[in-house]
């Protein structure tokens, strides 16, 4: 079993009968959805999933996990999702799969947020992973130039064919190559203030439990909020 599968399967154990569950996106979340699908089929577990991307919706539907739209629920009991980086103090970067907008909407509705990662994602400080920023197409060149002027090393995310990547909402993604993010809250506040920026991948003060995949087994860490 690889580390992503190990943590995905471990996280699925935390889901109880009747829960509304936020289903994350990415190669780690994939295994969690797979494990939940097995529990639904084999144990008759009754849950309602709220998905964070088209990809996850398709996977959950194929596995027979009942789904609701995010607007049909009052709250979500637990969301389980991957992450691209988690710092010493449990702040995170997400959006490597360009799903951070929906992921943040779902996380904010959630009583508990569990991140599942292999140990390579645990870092001292955030920033080595390029910070994804989702921007509306109109005027995205202006936002890009502003990032350039500020020395934030922006790069439009592209497909292998050289087209700009489109999110599920039809927006572009600009990745900021920052190396180190000294003050994540200040940066998040500034990005939040920009017209044309839809959402960024800084997930601050969000996670309540982290499951880290290590060679000798998963390690579960509770985060006090
Ligand atoms: C998608 C995400 C993913 O959770 C993140 O990129 C981790 O992905 P993976 O589990 O494939 O490494 O934020 O937008």
């Amino acid at each position: 079993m690889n580390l992503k599968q190990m943590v995905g399967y471990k996280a699925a154990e935390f889901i109880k009968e009747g829960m509304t569950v936020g289903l994350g996106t990415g190669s780690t979340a994939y295994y969690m959805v797979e494990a939940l699908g097995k529990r639904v089929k084999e144990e008759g577990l009754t849950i309602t999933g709220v998905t964070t991307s088209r990809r996850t919706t398709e996977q959950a539907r194929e596995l027979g996990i009942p789904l609701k739209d995010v607007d049909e629920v009052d709250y979500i009991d637990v969301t389980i999702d991957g992450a691209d980086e988690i710092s010493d103090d449990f702040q995170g970067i997400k959006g490597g799969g360009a799903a951070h907008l929906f992921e943040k909407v779902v996380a904010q509705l959630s009583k508990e947020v569990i991140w599942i990662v292999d140990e390579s994602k645990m870092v001292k400080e955030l920033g080595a992973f390029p910070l994804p920023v989702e921007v509306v197409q109109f005027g995205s060149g202006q936002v890009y130039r502003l990032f350039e002027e500020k020395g934030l090393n922006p790069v439009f995310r592209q497909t292998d064919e050289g087209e700009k990547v489109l999110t599920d909402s039809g927006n572009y993604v600009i990745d900021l190559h920052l190396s180190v993010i000294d003050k994540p809250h200040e940066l998040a506040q500034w990005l939040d203030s920009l017209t044309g920026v839809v959402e960024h991948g800084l997930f601050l003060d969000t996670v309540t439990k982290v499951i880290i995949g290590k060679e000798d087994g998963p390690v579960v860490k509770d985060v006090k909020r």
Side-chain angles (χ1 to χ4, degrees), residues 27-68:
S27 57
T28 318
Y30 174 90
Y31 289 113
M32 171 274 297
V33 176
E34 182 177 79
L36 280 179
K38 279 193 184 149
R39 290 194 59 195
V40 166
K41 198 168 168 208
E42 290 165 16
E43 296 170 28
L45 178 75
T46 308
I47 54 166
T48 303
V50 176
T51 57
T52 54
S53 63
R54 254 184 245 150
R55 273 169 285 165
T56 303
T57 304
E58 278 167 24
Q59 186 196 4
R61 278 209 187 114
E62 272 168 27
L63 294 169
I65 300 174
L67 299 179
K68 274 192 180 168

Short mmCIF file of all heavy atoms in Angstrom, two decimals, residues 27-68:
data_model
loop_
_atom_site.label_atom_id
_atom_site.label_comp_id
_atom_site.label_asym_id
_atom_site.label_seq_id
_atom_site.Cartn_x
_atom_site.Cartn_y
_atom_site.Cartn_z
N SER A 27 -4.94 13.12 -5.76
CA SER A 27 -4.57 11.71 -5.80
C SER A 27 -4.63 11.04 -4.43
O SER A 27 -4.75 9.82 -4.35
CB SER A 27 -3.16 11.57 -6.40
OG SER A 27 -2.24 12.32 -5.66
N THR A 28 -4.56 11.81 -3.35
CA THR A 28 -4.69 11.23 -2.01
C THR A 28 -6.17 11.11 -1.64
O THR A 28 -6.62 10.06 -1.15
CB THR A 28 -3.94 12.09 -0.96
OG1 THR A 28 -2.68 12.49 -1.51
CG2 THR A 28 -3.72 11.32 0.32
N ALA A 29 -6.91 12.19 -1.89
CA ALA A 29 -8.36 12.16 -1.61
C ALA A 29 -9.03 11.04 -2.41
O ALA A 29 -10.02 10.45 -1.95
CB ALA A 29 -8.98 13.51 -1.95
N TYR A 30 -8.49 10.72 -3.57
CA TYR A 30 -9.03 9.64 -4.40
C TYR A 30 -9.17 8.35 -3.59
O TYR A 30 -10.20 7.66 -3.64
CB TYR A 30 -8.10 9.42 -5.61
CG TYR A 30 -8.48 8.25 -6.46
CD1 TYR A 30 -9.36 8.40 -7.54
CD2 TYR A 30 -7.98 6.97 -6.19
CE1 TYR A 30 -9.73 7.30 -8.31
CE2 TYR A 30 -8.35 5.88 -6.96
CZ TYR A 30 -9.21 6.05 -8.01
OH TYR A 30 -9.59 4.98 -8.77
N TYR A 31 -8.11 8.04 -2.82
CA TYR A 31 -8.14 6.78 -2.05
C TYR A 31 -9.16 6.84 -0.92
O TYR A 31 -9.78 5.84 -0.57
CB TYR A 31 -6.75 6.47 -1.50
CG TYR A 31 -5.77 6.05 -2.56
CD1 TYR A 31 -4.69 6.84 -2.90
CD2 TYR A 31 -5.94 4.85 -3.25
CE1 TYR A 31 -3.79 6.46 -3.89
CE2 TYR A 31 -5.05 4.45 -4.23
CZ TYR A 31 -3.97 5.25 -4.55
OH TYR A 31 -3.10 4.86 -5.52
N MET A 32 -9.32 8.03 -0.33
CA MET A 32 -10.31 8.19 0.74
C MET A 32 -11.72 7.95 0.18
O MET A 32 -12.56 7.28 0.79
CB MET A 32 -10.15 9.60 1.33
CG MET A 32 -11.18 10.06 2.31
SD MET A 32 -12.62 10.80 1.52
CE MET A 32 -11.93 12.23 0.69
N VAL A 33 -11.98 8.51 -1.02
CA VAL A 33 -13.30 8.33 -1.64
C VAL A 33 -13.50 6.85 -1.98
O VAL A 33 -14.57 6.28 -1.75
CB VAL A 33 -13.44 9.23 -2.90
CG1 VAL A 33 -14.76 8.97 -3.61
CG2 VAL A 33 -13.32 10.71 -2.52
N GLU A 34 -12.43 6.23 -2.47
CA GLU A 34 -12.50 4.79 -2.79
C GLU A 34 -12.85 3.98 -1.53
O GLU A 34 -13.72 3.10 -1.55
CB GLU A 34 -11.14 4.35 -3.34
CG GLU A 34 -11.07 2.91 -3.75
CD GLU A 34 -9.70 2.58 -4.36
OE1 GLU A 34 -8.73 2.39 -3.60
OE2 GLU A 34 -9.62 2.54 -5.59
N ALA A 35 -12.18 4.30 -0.42
CA ALA A 35 -12.42 3.58 0.84
C ALA A 35 -13.84 3.82 1.34
O ALA A 35 -14.50 2.89 1.84
CB ALA A 35 -11.40 4.01 1.90
N LEU A 36 -14.32 5.05 1.21
CA LEU A 36 -15.70 5.33 1.64
C LEU A 36 -16.70 4.58 0.76
O LEU A 36 -17.70 4.05 1.25
CB LEU A 36 -15.98 6.84 1.56
CG LEU A 36 -15.47 7.67 2.72
CD1 LEU A 36 -15.81 9.15 2.50
CD2 LEU A 36 -16.05 7.19 4.06
N GLY A 37 -16.41 4.51 -0.52
CA GLY A 37 -17.27 3.77 -1.45
C GLY A 37 -17.37 2.31 -1.03
O GLY A 37 -18.46 1.71 -1.04
N LYS A 38 -16.23 1.75 -0.60
CA LYS A 38 -16.23 0.35 -0.13
C LYS A 38 -17.10 0.21 1.12
O LYS A 38 -17.86 -0.75 1.25
CB LYS A 38 -14.80 -0.09 0.22
CG LYS A 38 -14.01 -0.48 -1.00
CD LYS A 38 -12.73 -1.20 -0.62
CE LYS A 38 -11.96 -1.48 -1.90
NZ LYS A 38 -10.55 -1.51 -1.76
N ARG A 39 -16.97 1.17 2.04
CA ARG A 39 -17.76 1.08 3.29
C ARG A 39 -19.26 1.20 2.98
O ARG A 39 -20.08 0.54 3.62
CB ARG A 39 -17.31 2.16 4.28
CG ARG A 39 -15.91 1.92 4.85
CD ARG A 39 -15.64 2.81 6.05
NE ARG A 39 -16.60 2.61 7.11
CZ ARG A 39 -16.78 3.43 8.14
NH1 ARG A 39 -16.05 4.53 8.24
NH2 ARG A 39 -17.66 3.18 9.06
N VAL A 40 -19.60 2.06 2.04
CA VAL A 40 -21.01 2.21 1.65
C VAL A 40 -21.53 0.89 1.09
O VAL A 40 -22.60 0.41 1.47
CB VAL A 40 -21.16 3.37 0.62
CG1 VAL A 40 -22.54 3.34 -0.05
CG2 VAL A 40 -20.92 4.71 1.29
N LYS A 41 -20.73 0.28 0.24
CA LYS A 41 -21.16 -0.95 -0.44
C LYS A 41 -21.15 -2.16 0.50
O LYS A 41 -22.11 -2.92 0.57
CB LYS A 41 -20.20 -1.22 -1.61
CG LYS A 41 -20.75 -2.16 -2.63
CD LYS A 41 -19.91 -2.14 -3.89
CE LYS A 41 -20.33 -3.32 -4.75
NZ LYS A 41 -19.24 -3.79 -5.59
N GLU A 42 -20.05 -2.29 1.25
CA GLU A 42 -19.86 -3.53 2.03
C GLU A 42 -20.52 -3.48 3.42
O GLU A 42 -21.02 -4.48 3.91
CB GLU A 42 -18.37 -3.84 2.17
CG GLU A 42 -17.77 -4.27 0.83
CD GLU A 42 -16.24 -4.23 0.83
OE1 GLU A 42 -15.64 -4.17 1.92
OE2 GLU A 42 -15.66 -4.26 -0.28
N GLU A 43 -20.49 -2.30 4.06
CA GLU A 43 -21.04 -2.20 5.43
C GLU A 43 -22.43 -1.60 5.43
O GLU A 43 -23.05 -1.50 6.48
CB GLU A 43 -20.16 -1.28 6.30
CG GLU A 43 -18.77 -1.76 6.56
CD GLU A 43 -17.93 -0.66 7.22
OE1 GLU A 43 -18.48 0.21 7.93
OE2 GLU A 43 -16.72 -0.66 7.00
N GLY A 44 -22.87 -1.08 4.29
CA GLY A 44 -24.15 -0.38 4.24
C GLY A 44 -24.10 0.97 4.96
O GLY A 44 -25.13 1.48 5.42
N LEU A 45 -22.90 1.55 5.07
CA LEU A 45 -22.76 2.86 5.71
C LEU A 45 -23.61 3.90 4.97
O LEU A 45 -23.57 3.96 3.74
CB LEU A 45 -21.28 3.29 5.66
CG LEU A 45 -20.92 4.65 6.24
CD1 LEU A 45 -20.94 4.62 7.77
CD2 LEU A 45 -19.54 5.11 5.74
N THR A 46 -24.37 4.67 5.75
CA THR A 46 -25.20 5.72 5.14
C THR A 46 -24.55 7.07 5.36
O THR A 46 -24.45 7.52 6.50
CB THR A 46 -26.61 5.74 5.79
OG1 THR A 46 -27.13 4.42 5.75
CG2 THR A 46 -27.54 6.68 5.08
N ILE A 47 -24.07 7.68 4.29
CA ILE A 47 -23.48 9.02 4.40
C ILE A 47 -23.98 9.86 3.23
O ILE A 47 -24.55 9.34 2.27
CB ILE A 47 -21.93 9.00 4.35
CG1 ILE A 47 -21.43 8.26 3.10
CG2 ILE A 47 -21.35 8.41 5.62
CD1 ILE A 47 -19.95 8.48 2.83
N THR A 48 -23.76 11.17 3.35
CA THR A 48 -24.03 12.07 2.24
C THR A 48 -22.73 12.78 1.91
O THR A 48 -22.12 13.38 2.80
CB THR A 48 -25.10 13.12 2.63
OG1 THR A 48 -26.26 12.42 3.05
CG2 THR A 48 -25.43 14.02 1.46
N GLY A 49 -22.31 12.72 0.68
CA GLY A 49 -21.07 13.38 0.27
C GLY A 49 -21.36 14.75 -0.34
O GLY A 49 -22.39 14.95 -0.99
N VAL A 50 -20.44 15.67 -0.09
CA VAL A 50 -20.47 16.98 -0.77
C VAL A 50 -19.11 17.11 -1.45
O VAL A 50 -18.07 17.11 -0.77
CB VAL A 50 -20.68 18.14 0.24
CG1 VAL A 50 -20.61 19.48 -0.49
CG2 VAL A 50 -22.02 17.98 0.97
N THR A 51 -19.10 17.18 -2.76
CA THR A 51 -17.83 17.08 -3.48
C THR A 51 -17.20 18.45 -3.74
O THR A 51 -17.88 19.48 -3.67
CB THR A 51 -18.02 16.35 -4.83
OG1 THR A 51 -19.00 17.06 -5.58
CG2 THR A 51 -18.48 14.93 -4.62
N THR A 52 -15.91 18.43 -4.07
CA THR A 52 -15.16 19.67 -4.26
C THR A 52 -14.65 19.85 -5.69
O THR A 52 -13.87 20.76 -5.95
CB THR A 52 -13.96 19.70 -3.29
OG1 THR A 52 -13.20 18.49 -3.49
CG2 THR A 52 -14.39 19.80 -1.85
N SER A 53 -15.06 18.96 -6.59
CA SER A 53 -14.64 19.08 -7.99
C SER A 53 -15.47 18.13 -8.85
O SER A 53 -16.10 17.21 -8.33
CB SER A 53 -13.16 18.71 -8.15
OG SER A 53 -12.98 17.35 -7.79
N ARG A 54 -15.40 18.40 -10.15
CA ARG A 54 -16.08 17.50 -11.09
C ARG A 54 -15.51 16.08 -11.01
O ARG A 54 -16.22 15.10 -11.05
CB ARG A 54 -15.90 18.03 -12.52
CG ARG A 54 -17.15 18.66 -13.05
CD ARG A 54 -16.94 19.06 -14.48
NE ARG A 54 -17.03 20.50 -14.58
CZ ARG A 54 -16.39 21.25 -15.47
NH1 ARG A 54 -15.59 20.69 -16.36
NH2 ARG A 54 -16.57 22.54 -15.49
N ARG A 55 -14.17 16.04 -10.90
CA ARG A 55 -13.48 14.72 -10.83
C ARG A 55 -14.00 13.89 -9.68
O ARG A 55 -14.33 12.71 -9.82
CB ARG A 55 -11.98 14.93 -10.61
CG ARG A 55 -11.15 15.11 -11.82
CD ARG A 55 -9.77 15.56 -11.42
NE ARG A 55 -9.77 16.96 -11.02
CZ ARG A 55 -8.78 17.56 -10.36
NH1 ARG A 55 -7.71 16.89 -10.01
NH2 ARG A 55 -8.84 18.84 -10.05
N THR A 56 -14.08 14.51 -8.50
CA THR A 56 -14.51 13.77 -7.32
C THR A 56 -15.99 13.41 -7.44
O THR A 56 -16.41 12.32 -7.00
CB THR A 56 -14.22 14.58 -6.04
OG1 THR A 56 -12.82 14.86 -6.01
CG2 THR A 56 -14.60 13.81 -4.79
N THR A 57 -16.79 14.29 -8.03
CA THR A 57 -18.21 13.98 -8.22
C THR A 57 -18.35 12.71 -9.06
O THR A 57 -19.11 11.80 -8.72
CB THR A 57 -18.92 15.16 -8.92
OG1 THR A 57 -18.73 16.33 -8.14
CG2 THR A 57 -20.41 14.89 -9.08
N GLU A 58 -17.58 12.66 -10.16
CA GLU A 58 -17.66 11.48 -11.04
C GLU A 58 -17.27 10.21 -10.29
O GLU A 58 -17.95 9.18 -10.38
CB GLU A 58 -16.74 11.65 -12.25
CG GLU A 58 -17.36 12.49 -13.34
CD GLU A 58 -16.34 12.93 -14.38
OE1 GLU A 58 -15.30 12.26 -14.53
OE2 GLU A 58 -16.59 13.98 -15.01
N GLN A 59 -16.18 10.29 -9.54
CA GLN A 59 -15.70 9.10 -8.82
C GLN A 59 -16.74 8.65 -7.78
O GLN A 59 -17.06 7.45 -7.69
CB GLN A 59 -14.37 9.40 -8.11
CG GLN A 59 -13.75 8.18 -7.46
CD GLN A 59 -12.67 8.52 -6.45
OE1 GLN A 59 -12.39 9.69 -6.16
NE2 GLN A 59 -12.04 7.48 -5.91
N ALA A 60 -17.26 9.61 -7.01
CA ALA A 60 -18.21 9.26 -5.94
C ALA A 60 -19.49 8.67 -6.53
O ALA A 60 -20.05 7.71 -5.99
CB ALA A 60 -18.53 10.50 -5.11
N ARG A 61 -19.94 9.24 -7.66
CA ARG A 61 -21.16 8.71 -8.31
C ARG A 61 -20.94 7.27 -8.75
O ARG A 61 -21.78 6.41 -8.54
CB ARG A 61 -21.50 9.55 -9.54
CG ARG A 61 -22.26 10.79 -9.17
CD ARG A 61 -23.18 11.25 -10.30
NE ARG A 61 -23.75 12.54 -9.94
CZ ARG A 61 -23.50 13.67 -10.59
NH1 ARG A 61 -22.73 13.68 -11.66
NH2 ARG A 61 -24.04 14.80 -10.17
N GLU A 62 -19.78 7.02 -9.36
CA GLU A 62 -19.48 5.66 -9.84
C GLU A 62 -19.48 4.66 -8.69
O GLU A 62 -19.83 3.50 -8.85
CB GLU A 62 -18.10 5.62 -10.52
CG GLU A 62 -18.18 5.96 -12.00
CD GLU A 62 -16.80 6.20 -12.60
OE1 GLU A 62 -15.81 5.65 -12.08
OE2 GLU A 62 -16.74 6.97 -13.58
N LEU A 63 -19.07 5.12 -7.51
CA LEU A 63 -18.99 4.22 -6.35
C LEU A 63 -20.30 4.13 -5.59
O LEU A 63 -20.40 3.41 -4.59
CB LEU A 63 -17.88 4.71 -5.40
CG LEU A 63 -16.46 4.62 -5.97
CD1 LEU A 63 -15.48 5.36 -5.07
CD2 LEU A 63 -16.03 3.17 -6.12
N GLY A 64 -21.29 4.89 -6.01
CA GLY A 64 -22.60 4.82 -5.37
C GLY A 64 -22.69 5.57 -4.06
O GLY A 64 -23.53 5.26 -3.21
N ILE A 65 -21.83 6.58 -3.87
CA ILE A 65 -21.92 7.41 -2.66
C ILE A 65 -22.99 8.49 -2.91
O ILE A 65 -22.87 9.27 -3.85
CB ILE A 65 -20.56 8.08 -2.34
CG1 ILE A 65 -19.48 7.02 -2.11
CG2 ILE A 65 -20.69 9.02 -1.14
CD1 ILE A 65 -18.07 7.57 -1.92
N PRO A 66 -24.04 8.53 -2.06
CA PRO A 66 -25.09 9.54 -2.26
C PRO A 66 -24.50 10.95 -2.09
O PRO A 66 -23.72 11.18 -1.17
CB PRO A 66 -26.11 9.24 -1.16
CG PRO A 66 -25.79 7.87 -0.67
CD PRO A 66 -24.33 7.67 -0.90
N LEU A 67 -24.88 11.86 -2.96
CA LEU A 67 -24.30 13.22 -2.94
C LEU A 67 -25.38 14.28 -2.79
O LEU A 67 -26.52 14.09 -3.21
CB LEU A 67 -23.54 13.48 -4.26
CG LEU A 67 -22.36 12.57 -4.56
CD1 LEU A 67 -21.74 12.95 -5.90
CD2 LEU A 67 -21.31 12.64 -3.45
N LYS A 68 -24.97 15.40 -2.20
CA LYS A 68 -25.81 16.60 -2.21
C LYS A 68 -24.96 17.76 -2.69
O LYS A 68 -23.73 17.77 -2.48
CB LYS A 68 -26.32 16.91 -0.79
CG LYS A 68 -27.59 16.18 -0.43
CD LYS A 68 -28.20 16.73 0.84
CE LYS A 68 -29.48 15.98 1.16
NZ LYS A 68 -29.96 16.27 2.51
#
